[in-house]
Amino acid sequence: MSNELLHFEDFAVGRKFFGGPYRVTRDEVFEFAREFDPQPHHLDEEAAKQSMLGGLSASGWQVSAIAMRLFAEAVILKTANLGGPGCDDGRWMKPVRPDDVLMLEAEVLSARQSGSRPEIGFVKFVWRLCNQREQVAEFVVTTMPARRGP
Amino acid sequence: MSNELLHFEDFAVGRKFFGGPYRVTRDEVFEFAREFDPQPHHLDEEAAKQSMLGGLSASGWQVSAIAMRLFAEAVILKTANLGGPGCDDGRWMKPVRPDDVLMLEAEVLSARQSGSRPEIGFVKFVWRLCNQREQVAEFVVTTMPARRGP
């Protein structure tokens, strides 16, 4: 892979990357909910007003997917990345509403070389997703960037 | 909420629920990837063949969203549920391919009453998602069902 791409060695602990803005639309909240999370508070304005969240909100899994998109644009599409084995500690902290404008901060939490596969490493990021006012979600996600070489 | 719905008291540790089948289509793999996870191995057959996964595969976030849909049908839409604060320990273990048929097993891992809000509880599930041959993903997800009463 091209050496112009980011590699394992570029992800020092504490390094931050930034993604967004991304404006959430009412239509995409409905569309995602119909396909993947058909709970009334994601699908129906009136039911949502009666719910604990007090109004229409996006599925948490849509929020995760939007964060992935912003992370792809900010990091993954610029990286010699071979995959992503998992995520930990996902927290949906505040409701995400139509017309919210989301921004992502992704910070390197840890980086280690693979024991069994010397050509790759594992880099753990924390994603902090914010709207105009406050943080709305947090996820810890592992990536597998290629090493630059021995 | 109706007492015919499942409540906190119905989620004994070890109880299992089953969802699916859900057939993954090539078109939806491309569509989700274009919107949320535009990496070549989710978007382009030829690039995917060269990738570590050896062929086209669905975004892990699409796999999570499909698991949510199956969990909604099997549990959440039958439950007096007030929300979902987060997920832990998400593992994408095997690639999910077009035409895979997915099934979900959701097992109650733990259940506890809320300390601050006596009308609700927290129930933690492990989701095990399988295709025709093997387990492909696992997630630990917390729900907030209402209690039946004092």
Side-chain angles (χ1 to χ4, degrees), chain B residues 52-123:
Chain B
M52 194 178 69
L53 298 178
L56 192 68
S57 64
S59 166
W61 300 99
Q62 181 177 11
V63 175
S64 311
I66 291 170
M68 177 65 221
R69 185 203 171 98
L70 299 182
F71 185 66
E73 291 169 353
V75 177
I76 291 292
L77 299 178
K78 300 171 183 167
T79 299
N81 184 54
L82 286 89
C87 69
D88 310 296
D89 300 330
R91 294 286 167 265
W92 299 300
M93 301 151 71
K94 300 282 178 182
V96 171
R97 314 282 193 190
D99 294 325
D100 273 3
V101 176
L102 302 178
M103 305 283 291
L104 179 74
E105 177 185 278
E107 179 176 348
V108 178
L109 281 184
S110 65
R112 67 176 177 84
Q113 298 175 15
S114 168
S116 58
R117 302 186 49 197
E119 75 279 18
I120 65 167
F122 295 96
V123 176

Side-chain angles (χ1 to χ4, degrees), chain A residues 65-94:
Chain A
I66 292 170
M68 176 66 220
R69 186 204 171 98
L70 300 182
F71 186 66
E73 291 169 353
V75 177
I76 291 293
L77 298 179
K78 301 171 184 169
T79 298
N81 185 54
L82 286 90
C87 70
D88 310 295
D89 300 329
R91 294 286 168 265
W92 298 300
M93 301 152 71
K94 299 283 178 182

